[in-house]
Amino acid sequence: MAALGVASILPVMQSVSRAGAVDRGTRIASMVARLTPAEKLALVQAEMTPAQGGGPMIVTLPGVPRVGLPALRMALGDGPGLPSPLALMATWDTDLARRAGLAHAHAVRAAGRAIVPMGGVGPVPTGRTRDGEDPLLSGRVMGGAASGLLAGHVLPLFGGKGVAGPGATRADRLLGLYLAMEQARGAGILCRTAIADAHPAATWTGGGRSAMDGISGMIAELADREVAGDGMARQPFLLATLAAGVDLEGSPATDTLFAVVLRQAVSGGAVQPATLDRMIAHILLPLDQAGVIDRPPPFGALGTVQPPHDPLAEEELAEGAVLLRNENDVLPLATTGGATADGPVLIVGAGAAHDAARALVEALGRTGQAARLAADSPGGGHSPADVARADRIVVFSEGPQDDRLIAAIAGSGGHVVVVLLSDDPDRPMPWLDLVDGVVQAWSWRGGGEAALAALLTGQRDFAGRLPATFTGGQVPAQVSLSGYKAFDRAHVAPLFPFGYGLSVRARFSYSDLRVTRDGTRLVVSFGVTNSGSGAGRDVPQVYLDLPAGVGDAPKRLVGWRVVQLEPGQAARLSLGIDAHLLGQWHPATLEWVVPAGDYALSLGAHSANLVRQAMVHLPELHVPGALPDSESE
């Protein structure tokens, strides 16, 4: 029996190419061979405990202490973990993302968890506040965060709760997931839906696990409830789920597919024991790669540890906050209107934003900028009494419920800056033309007030760029599927375009865009100059214009660089563009195909402001969907 168990998972072990893979593969194969049939069936079933007292739902992977496997847990919902995907992507900084992942790994483990779901990329669409709008940006940034989690001995699972089926553009979702997995080898995939009858894992790629050959991690499917029916009636659904590559199932129900139907299918011969062995190997291998089998977190800590202070909150906010509007030079606050401003700044925060407003008042005081908190708590659209006496006002807003308040304050005659504290890219801003400044600070609530104070006073320049199109609530058809590409198709200008972000003092210009072909890669180079009066961080972006009739949109992001420049400083930058970013996904052949034709590459500050262009002719290229061997990276 042991020899059969090892042989059945040999292909899984051979697909892993990290250092030490031989020893790890032998260890996992030995563990699987020592498991009893009952233990094997138990290991592919996660236990889902409903949320208690407002806490998150807990998912437990049962352990087998006899063979050295501890029980491990994951929380679905709020708790210690990464900042919002959009906030992290707004930094466009993959190195910061990795450091954020590593820092958050300590918080996750301290809370008794060894596994964490990752937003931004995944097999099913989870909404614009969790999904990345562009596969390159989301894949690179969230892949960086996941690699940090792995380094901190936490296993990330890409995905979240969404709607299975033809939600987002499949090629885009597959590309984002591919790029993330390329950076975070050993990460898994999470398909979570309300009911397990939509075959989410079977539809997300048009090829299941085989669509990305080289995935050695688990594919987990969690459903809030199971599909109805007896064992025999549900067996076709089980076989389709296994064919898609699902290794682990979780549901609050007791008669789940893997608890009842899988047992019947194995005993009846419809599912071979070797298939079950490979599923378990897919589960155990990434857990071993992340180090959580030998170093499990303290199991008893779950539910007893509060989310700790984020040690990178200041840096995340400083690089991710986006300046959307700065009329009348309202920022920096120290020089409102182009002259030195006297008098304290009034800070207004309604509802839950009141604490953030108080924290900012204290942080501004530490910078030397006088500030005071509004004397009364505003509500019902009425301005605080002391607004009329203020020349400069900063208003914190969590959502549309504050629109009347913002409009009323803007009518007072003072200079108004609105700081948005939500991750809603579709929020209407009916007051936009009434205020001087708008800052997108994402779902910040505390821990980053010093960075925000430095940004508002000009001690630090704004560096964030939008990771999603801000639509203002006016959207063309299918904007939720492909973001800026939908606006391109419809020839409609959004409220604020993808990649957009202002600087207070820096002014960047681009020159001498060149492109050459190097095998299946393109190499792009260009010049960047800061002609402004202050230092700044720029994120020049390169987009690809596809030949007519190719693809689902006129252009796509294919690269960017982050550069910090002093006033008058210039730099020459270059970047490589992989063929995966140039082609179209073909599920029938499990490869990316780049059609022959003339391709235009454009350079600019954001998706709607591309000022330089270069052309290149490409022959037809075929690129396999397999993840590249990690030893060659």
Side-chain angles (χ1 to χ4, degrees), residues 296-323:
F299 198 80
L302 189 61
T304 64
V305 178
Q306 295 297 317
H309 171 73
D310 179 1
L312 294 180
E314 295 287 347
E315 191 171 357
E316 291 161 5
L317 180 60
E319 288 199 18
V322 184
L323 180 59

Side-chain angles (χ1 to χ4, degrees), residues 378-397:
H382 300 292
S383 298
D386 43 2
V387 162
R389 301 188 301 275
D391 179 61
R392 296 164 298 162
I393 307 163
V394 175
V395 184
F396 283 99
S397 174

Side-chain angles (χ1 to χ4, degrees), residues 469 484 488 494 497-500 541 543 555 604-610:
T469 304
Y484 67 90
D488 282 347
F498 173 83
Y500 178 86
Q541 301 155 36
Y543 293 80
K555 66 173 177 282
H606 54 76
S607 61
N609 182 25
L610 302 175

Side-chain angles (χ1 to χ4, degrees), residues 480-504:
S480 62
L481 306 186
S482 47
Y484 67 90
K485 297 177 183 178
F487 281 90
D488 282 347
R489 285 196 302 264
H491 301 289
V492 174
L495 188 66
F496 296 107
F498 173 83
Y500 178 86
L502 298 176
S503 171
V504 172

Side-chain angles (χ1 to χ4, degrees), residues 169-470:
T169 304
R170 292 183 187 174
D172 269 7
R173 300 201 70 79
L174 178 60
L175 180 57
L177 190 56
Y178 174 96
L179 295 170
M181 297 288 287
E182 188 178 23
Q183 292 185 84
R185 293 302 179 86
I189 296 171
L190 173 64
C191 303
R192 188 183 175 207
T193 56
I195 182 170
D197 65 353
H199 304 279
T203 60
W204 62 271
T205 63
R209 183 183 292 274
S210 62
M212 252 195 295
D213 184 25
I215 295 179
S216 58
M218 77 173 81
I219 298 179
E221 182 171 293
L222 306 181
D224 292 346
R225 62 187 177 93
E226 276 292 324
V227 63
D230 59 26
M232 292 302 295
R234 296 164 67 191
Q235 191 170 106
F237 176 46
L238 169 71
L239 297 178
T241 300
L242 297 182
V246 175
D247 307 300
L248 179 75
E249 182 201 33
S251 172
T254 58
D255 59 342
T256 63
L257 279 177
F258 287 9
V260 177
V261 188
L262 179 58
R263 183 179 68 248
Q264 295 172 346
V266 170
S267 62
V271 173
Q272 296 300 309
T275 299
L276 185 59
D277 287 352
R278 284 192 292 271
M279 293 163 60
I280 295 170
H282 288 144
I283 296 170
L284 299 186
L285 183 62
L287 294 173
D288 195 44
Q289 289 175 325
V292 297
I293 291 181
D294 292 332
R295 293 179 290 273
F299 198 80
L302 189 61
T304 64
V305 178
Q306 295 297 317
H309 171 73
D310 179 1
L312 294 180
E314 295 287 347
E315 191 171 357
E316 291 161 5
L317 180 60
E319 288 199 18
V322 184
L323 180 59
L324 300 177
R325 185 179 177 89
N326 191 28
E327 296 298 311
N328 300 313
D329 294 326
V330 66
L331 296 177
L333 292 173
T335 56
T336 298
T340 301
D342 297 324
V345 177
L346 181 67
I347 312 298
V348 180
H354 188 72
D355 290 341
R358 183 184 302 278
L360 180 63
V361 169
E362 297 173 356
L364 286 172
R366 292 191 291 270
T367 70
Q369 171 65 61
R372 57 189 175 90
L373 191 64
D376 55 343
S377 180
H382 300 292
S383 298
D386 43 2
V387 162
R389 301 188 301 275
D391 179 61
R392 296 164 298 162
I393 307 163
V394 175
V395 184
F396 283 99
S397 174
E398 292 193 308
Q401 69 272 16
D402 301 325
D403 286 348
R404 291 176 58 198
L405 170 65
I406 295 171
I409 292 175
S412 67
H415 295 284
V416 178
V417 176
V418 178
V419 178
L420 303 174
L421 295 180
S422 69
D423 296 343
D424 182 7
D426 298 321
R427 177 180 173 176
M429 301 182 195
W431 37 259
L432 182 60
D433 290 336
L434 305 177
V435 302
D436 298 287
V438 181
V439 174
Q440 173 62 37
W442 309 103
S443 51
W444 170 75
R445 291 296 180 275
E449 57 269 13
L452 184 58
L455 291 169
L456 294 175
T457 57
Q459 296 179 8
R460 184 164 185 163
D461 202 1
F462 285 88
R465 301 293 186 269
L466 289 182
T469 304
F470 272 38

Side-chain angles (χ1 to χ4, degrees), residues 460-463 465 503-508 528 530 532-539 562-567 569:
R460 184 164 185 163
D461 202 1
F462 285 88
R465 301 293 186 269
S503 171
V504 172
R505 294 192 175 100
R507 298 292 181 268
F508 300 103
V528 184
N530 178 8
S533 60
R537 175 181 178 269
D538 192 26
V539 187
V562 176
V563 60
Q564 178 78 23
L565 295 176
E566 296 296 321
Q569 186 179 5

